[in-house]
Amino acid sequence: MAESDQNTDGTVEEGEDENTEDSNLQMELSAFRAKWMSELQPSSGGKKSVPKTADLKRKQEIAKEGKARELFLKAVEEEQNGAVYEAIKYYKSAMQLVPDIEFRITYSRTPDPDRGGSYLEDNENDREIDDLLTYFQQQLTLCDGTMKLCEPETDSTLVHISALPFEVLMYIFRWVVSCDLDLRALEQLSLVCKGFYICARDPEIWRSACLRVWGRSCTKMLPFSSWREMFLERPRVRFDGVYISKTSYIRQGEESLDGFYRAWHQVEYYRYLRFFPDGQVMMLTTPEDPLVTVPRLRSKNSRMDSIMFGHYRLSQDMDNETKVYVVVSKRKEEQKVAEYQRSRFCRRNPAPEAERAFHVGLQLSSGGRQRFNKLVWIHHSCHITYRSTGETVVTAFDVDKMYTPLFFARVKSYTAFSELPL
């Protein structure tokens, strides 16, 4: 009896499979006949059926994408719960329906495994946090009104940084900024945790940075809402790198002795400007490549030949454009050595002692994605002062196409070490 039941069941299953196959075949044949008949109909009738076909196809695509989206989100939940094998199956099914479903889904928040959250785009409880600083301060404020900046994740016998007083922690942050005003490092430090984010937004740090850049001209932060906004938005020169310009031209050489040919020379040289927060600046003109020259401009104590040292100031004229005025000259020791060498090899009377200073005017602007990364020449002159008579001779140079703009290049080694705190 058991065998006959099994045979009967098997016969029934085989019959059901055959019926299913027959029904599928009949459906395919019906669809083929309908399509064939629509093609045989007159053109006017075909035009009427085109919109219906397009609407049907669009609805099918929307339904397919919705199903793929549902499977993909289910796979994300399974993966978050640790069921990797199940997640792979759902991922595969979703991508079979819509291959690029991963890029069609946008997430408004991450799931919370503790409460079984899911990746949902539309959530009425989610809202944009306007003031992140106030939000973090409220989260870290304890019941007694004190603020706990950070806590260790694991128990340890070592002293955690959260045990330090707030004043000591802020002093460490001033060392991070350093006297070179490396505010980029301060912003990176704020990404560690909520407590560090609060410390990095301390108004006193940003106020000190603004005073170092603009001096007494920034006693009030109006029209800006904060000292940080002033430092980021107000035009200024940058200190974590060097401004570089490349000039190249072709000049005619001397004619050969036989007059058969004349040589042409391609000349290339670079100008470098390195600014410091204390108002000092270094300027160098050399044919050497930046890979060789830039490391030598890290310190103000550089002994490289032809470097000119001086000071600069920022000025905002009536046209609301920020200009940088630079006055540089060679060090007096180098001038004395050069004059001694000339008088040593020349028997004639040496030239009267004179001091040479170069005055440079530049317009600060922004180009591309970076801010305040471009300096355009507007003035260049040489002032020669004779010590014996006190007379000053000014020679102004024509600012033409040979004065190419200087563009900023960030140099990581300039802010790799901190010599003094802010």
Side-chain angles (χ1 to χ4, degrees):
M1 293 294 294
E3 292 179 357
S4 62
D5 292 341
Q6 291 178 359
N7 294 334
T8 304
D9 294 340
T11 305
V12 171
E13 290 178 358
E14 291 177 359
E16 291 179 354
D17 294 340
E18 292 177 357
N19 294 332
T20 303
E21 293 177 359
D22 293 340
S23 60
N24 292 336
L25 183 60
Q26 291 294 332
M27 291 178 61
E28 291 179 2
L29 289 174
S30 300
F32 174 76
R33 290 193 188 98
K35 185 177 180 182
W36 178 54
M37 291 299 295
S38 63
E39 292 177 354
L40 293 178
Q41 289 178 357
S43 57
S44 59
K47 292 182 179 179
K48 293 181 180 179
S49 62
V50 168
K52 295 182 179 180
T53 306
D55 293 341
L56 180 61
K57 186 175 182 181
R58 186 174 68 255
K59 291 180 181 179
Q60 291 177 352
E61 292 293 334
I62 293 175
K64 185 188 296 184
E65 183 176 348
K67 183 63 176 179
R69 179 178 178 275
E70 182 182 352
L71 292 172
F72 190 88
L73 295 178
K74 182 67 176 176
V76 172
E77 292 184 10
E78 294 293 339
E79 183 181 2
Q80 192 69 26
N81 295 331
V84 181
Y85 179 73
E86 297 294 334
I88 292 175
K89 291 196 301 183
Y90 286 118
Y91 279 134
K92 185 177 179 181
S93 301
M95 296 185 70
Q96 285 178 349
L97 293 176
V98 180
D100 59 341
I101 186 63
E102 179 182 1
F103 305 100
R104 298 190 184 186
I105 298 178
T106 56
Y107 311 104
S108 60
R109 63 182 178 87
T110 57
D112 190 355
D114 296 334
R115 62 180 183 178
S118 60
Y119 283 90
L120 298 178
E121 295 184 46
D122 301 327
N123 192 343
E124 298 179 356
N125 296 327
D126 292 341
R127 59 183 181 84
E128 185 178 357
I129 301 175
D130 296 331
D131 191 353
L132 195 60
L133 179 61
T134 305
Y135 177 73
F136 285 164
Q137 288 175 345
Q138 293 175 354
Q139 282 192 329
L140 298 180
T141 302
L142 302 179
C143 298
D144 56 355
T146 60
M147 183 179 297
K148 188 68 173 178
L149 292 179
C150 55
E151 295 180 354
E153 293 184 355
T154 58
D155 296 334
S156 175
T157 57
L158 303 177
V159 179
H160 193 257
I161 193 172
S162 59
L164 296 177
F166 181 76
E167 293 77 8
V168 177
L169 195 60
M170 293 307 303
Y171 187 68
I172 295 175
F173 274 65
R174 286 181 174 270
W175 267 101
V176 172
V177 178
S178 75
C179 59
D180 296 325
L181 297 185
D182 186 13
L183 276 306
R184 182 187 180 92
L186 182 66
E187 291 292 302
Q188 293 176 341
L189 187 61
S190 68
L191 303 177
V192 174
C193 62
K194 298 176 182 178
F196 280 21
Y197 182 91
I198 295 174
C199 293
R201 294 300 188 272
D202 183 61
E204 194 60 32
I205 291 181
W206 294 94
R207 178 178 176 273
S208 301
C210 292
L211 290 175
R212 287 290 303 275
V213 175
W214 295 286
R216 298 179 180 178
S217 62
C218 69
T219 54
K220 297 181 180 180
M221 63 181 181
L222 296 177
F224 304 100
S225 60
S226 64
W227 294 106
R228 180 176 178 271
E229 183 182 354
M230 174 187 285
F231 187 87
L232 296 178
E233 299 296 334
R234 186 173 177 178
R236 56 179 172 81
V237 293
R238 300 182 59 177
F239 311 114
D240 55 344
V242 58
Y243 289 86
I244 307 175
S245 71
K246 179 181 179 181
T247 304
S248 59
Y249 62 92
I250 299 176
R251 68 174 180 85
Q252 188 176 5
E254 295 182 357
E255 188 177 359
S256 61
L257 296 177
D258 54 2
F260 184 72
Y261 70 93
R262 183 185 297 271
W264 290 83
H265 304 277
Q266 182 177 0
V267 182
E268 290 184 354
Y269 63 92
Y270 298 87
R271 288 191 178 99
Y272 301 88
L273 269 176
R274 168 87 161 99
F275 295 95
F276 296 92
D278 58 356
Q280 298 188 38
V281 63
M282 292 192 305
M283 184 174 179
L284 174 64
T285 303
T286 177
E288 293 186 357
D289 191 80
L291 293 176
V292 179
T293 308
V294 167
R296 301 179 183 178
L297 300 177
R298 183 183 184 278
S299 174
K300 290 179 286 188
N301 300 323
S302 177
R303 295 295 179 181
M304 188 177 178
D305 296 338
S306 303
I307 290 184
M308 293 184 289
F309 299 85
H311 60 275
Y312 71 94
R313 65 180 178 88
L314 298 176
S315 176
Q316 192 168 9
D317 297 338
M318 298 300 295
D319 55 0
N320 204 25
E321 293 182 351
T322 302
K323 295 180 174 58
V324 184
Y325 295 99
V326 178
V327 179
V328 291
S329 62
K330 287 188 177 181
R331 287 177 174 173
K332 295 183 179 180
E333 298 177 358
E334 297 179 0
Q335 291 181 358
K336 290 182 179 179
V337 171
E339 292 175 0
Y340 171 76
Q341 291 178 350
R342 284 201 304 268
S343 61
R344 178 182 177 186
F345 295 103
C346 298
R347 295 297 181 182
R348 59 185 180 181
N349 295 329
E353 295 183 354
E355 295 181 355
R356 294 175 177 83
F358 293 89
H359 292 236
V360 176
L362 303 163
Q363 180 177 333
L364 182 63
S365 60
S366 301
R369 296 182 179 180
Q370 297 185 3
R371 308 201 64 184
F372 321 128
N373 66 331
K374 184 178 179 181
L375 293 174
V376 181
W377 292 82
I378 57 177
H379 174 74
H380 189 202
S381 62
C382 178
H383 294 234
I384 302 176
T385 303
Y386 297 96
R387 299 174 185 173
S388 58
T389 60
E391 181 184 2
T392 301
V393 178
V394 180
T395 303
F397 304 102
D398 295 332
V399 179
D400 52 11
K401 62 180 181 179
M402 301 299 294
Y403 288 86
T404 56
L406 296 99
F407 290 92
F408 180 79
R410 180 172 170 261
V411 184
K412 295 181 180 180
S413 61
Y414 287 177
T415 55
F417 303 96
S418 299
E419 298 180 357
L420 291 172
L422 175 63

